[in-house]
Amino acid sequence: VLTSSSRAPRLPLPRTPRPTTARISAYYRARAGAPLPLGSDVSRQGRAPAGRRGWALICRDSSLQGPPGVDPAAEEEERKKKTEAVAATAAARIGSSRGGGGGGSLSDWTTSVLLFGIWAGLMYYVFQLAPNQTPYRDTYFLQKLCNLKGYDGFRMNDVLVSLWYIMGLWPLVYSMLLLPTGRSSKSKIPVWPFLVLSCIGGAYALIPYFVLWKPPPPPIDEEEIGQWPLKFLESKLTAGVTFAVGLGLIIYAAKAGGEDWQEFIRYFRESKFIHATCLDFCLLSAFSPFWVYNDMTARRWKNGSWLLPVALIPFVGPSLYLLLRPSLSSLLVATGPSDQASSQK
């Protein structure tokens, strides 16, 4: 029996344990994303909420250079590659896919084999089958044309004299076409030895390089254009003098009388020297339109396409193209800013 003065007994209430120092440190380590010690209460209950953990990770990654997941070293390497590409284009890396694929395809090998066969056949014809009825007269003609003999009363044929001096201009024309746009970057064979030999051998010395040629040409910078020999070969004065002298020699031969032409035809049938020189002139005239087209394509001169039919005219066409073509310096100025702007995009 309970009386009014008696009180009901109090039930024990659950007591919340006070946070200890270990639990507090574990809780803040969980918020910072640090690993928790195994067996701790916070590690058993789980880490900080996902939103807090994600915020911590983003802040930590944003302190790195570049977007998340990108290797800084790889990004720096990619930036260097883009810079080198812009510099190479601004330096007028002349040559395009239309200039050839580097000799790796079947068509390139077929062309090389065909050219080599033509060259071998020509050499066999010149040394074995060409007429050689006047070897002593050929020696005399060479001495007279090279000014090794004084005046002896003999008048040289006007057509032969014109042909001789034009053959001396052809190596200069080919030097202006092959340097720099006709150089080969994939086959480590320089073009200048063949150009030097062409001063004596003409097309017979150049065709082996045509066989070995593998485009595109190496890049050219402005400093190289201002040095020898490109400065001389790119000069409009050089091109103008070559065109004027060549045109004058052709007019001089055309004005020769009928007797001179008949005599020249007889020389062609009898003399190996004159026979081989005429074939050389025809070969140089036949190959020059291709190298005009190659140079025009490398310089990206679309407005000069009308000169391609003109280049079929022996000597006059290629020399006129050399006089009218744009310079490499203007090509550098035209390609530099646009390429840099495209790279920034």
Side-chain angles (χ1 to χ4, degrees):
V1 179
L2 298 175
T3 61
S4 59
S5 60
S6 62
R7 296 179 179 180
R10 294 180 179 180
L11 298 176
L13 297 177
R15 298 178 62 184
T16 303
R18 294 183 178 179
T20 61
T21 304
R23 291 187 177 184
I24 293 174
S25 61
Y27 174 74
Y28 282 104
R29 292 177 65 184
R31 288 189 60 181
L36 299 175
L38 297 177
S40 62
D41 295 337
V42 180
S43 64
R44 289 192 298 267
Q45 294 175 5
R47 292 191 176 185
R52 294 291 184 180
R53 183 172 67 252
W55 172 84
L57 290 174
I58 292 175
C59 291
R60 183 181 60 188
D61 291 341
S62 62
S63 64
L64 299 176
Q65 295 181 356
V70 177
D71 188 5
E75 185 181 6
E76 181 67 18
E77 185 68 22
E78 184 67 20
R79 187 185 66 81
K80 289 182 179 179
K81 289 182 180 179
K82 290 181 180 180
T83 305
E84 292 176 357
V86 172
T89 308
R93 190 180 184 86
I94 37 189
S96 61
S97 58
R98 292 194 299 175
S105 62
L106 180 60
S107 59
D108 295 330
W109 282 107
T110 304
T111 304
S112 298
V113 172
L114 180 61
L115 286 174
F116 180 78
I118 293 175
W119 177 77
L122 286 171
M123 298 304 293
Y124 179 79
Y125 175 81
V126 168
F127 285 101
Q128 299 295 332
L129 302 179
N132 190 20
Q133 301 177 11
T134 57
Y136 296 104
R137 189 179 65 187
D138 290 350
T139 304
Y140 174 78
F141 282 171
L142 277 173
Q143 292 176 349
K144 290 285 291 185
L145 292 172
C146 294
N147 295 321
L148 298 179
K149 276 187 174 294
Y151 180 76
D152 55 1
F154 180 79
R155 187 184 73 88
M156 292 291 297
N157 185 275
D158 292 341
V159 180
L160 178 59
V161 172
S162 300
L163 176 64
W164 173 258
Y165 286 110
I166 286 181
M167 294 305 297
L169 292 175
W170 267 120
L172 179 60
V173 171
Y174 268 86
S175 297
M176 299 172 73
L177 288 173
L178 297 179
L179 288 173
T181 58
R183 291 187 295 174
S184 180
S185 61
K186 294 187 177 180
S187 63
K188 306 297 182 178
I189 299 177
V191 63
W192 65 265
F194 298 90
L195 292 173
V196 172
L197 291 175
S198 68
C199 297
I200 301 174
Y204 307 112
L206 285 176
I207 293 179
Y209 178 76
F210 300 164
V211 174
L212 302 173
W213 177 64
K214 293 181 180 180
I220 301 297
D221 55 15
E222 189 172 359
E223 182 179 358
E224 186 176 358
I225 295 175
Q227 296 177 354
W228 176 269
L230 289 184
K231 184 177 181 179
F232 172 76
L233 298 176
E234 286 288 318
S235 173
K236 293 300 180 182
L237 178 61
T238 304
V241 172
T242 303
F243 173 75
V245 173
L247 182 61
L249 289 172
I250 291 176
I251 295 176
Y252 179 76
K255 292 177 64 176
E259 295 182 358
D260 285 344
W261 279 100
Q262 292 178 0
E263 184 182 34
F264 180 78
I265 294 175
R266 186 175 73 253
Y267 289 162
F268 176 79
R269 294 175 178 175
E270 300 173 351
S271 168
K272 174 177 285 190
F273 160 63
I274 299 177
H275 195 90
T277 304
C278 291
L279 290 179
D280 190 8
F281 179 83
C282 294
L283 289 171
L284 294 172
S285 302
F287 282 110
S288 60
F290 170 79
W291 293 108
V292 167
Y293 173 75
N294 178 75
D295 188 83
M296 183 185 301
T297 304
R299 295 170 190 264
R300 305 182 184 95
W301 190 32
K302 298 180 181 179
N303 296 331
S305 57
W306 63 275
L307 281 171
L308 290 176
V310 180
L312 297 174
I313 303 176
F315 191 85
V316 175
S319 59
L320 179 62
Y321 166 78
L322 294 175
L323 181 62
L324 301 178
R325 68 179 180 179
S327 63
L328 289 177
S329 301
S330 62
L331 179 62
L332 286 177
V333 174
T335 56
S338 61
D339 292 333
Q340 292 178 356
S342 61
S343 64
Q344 292 175 358
K345 293 180 181 180

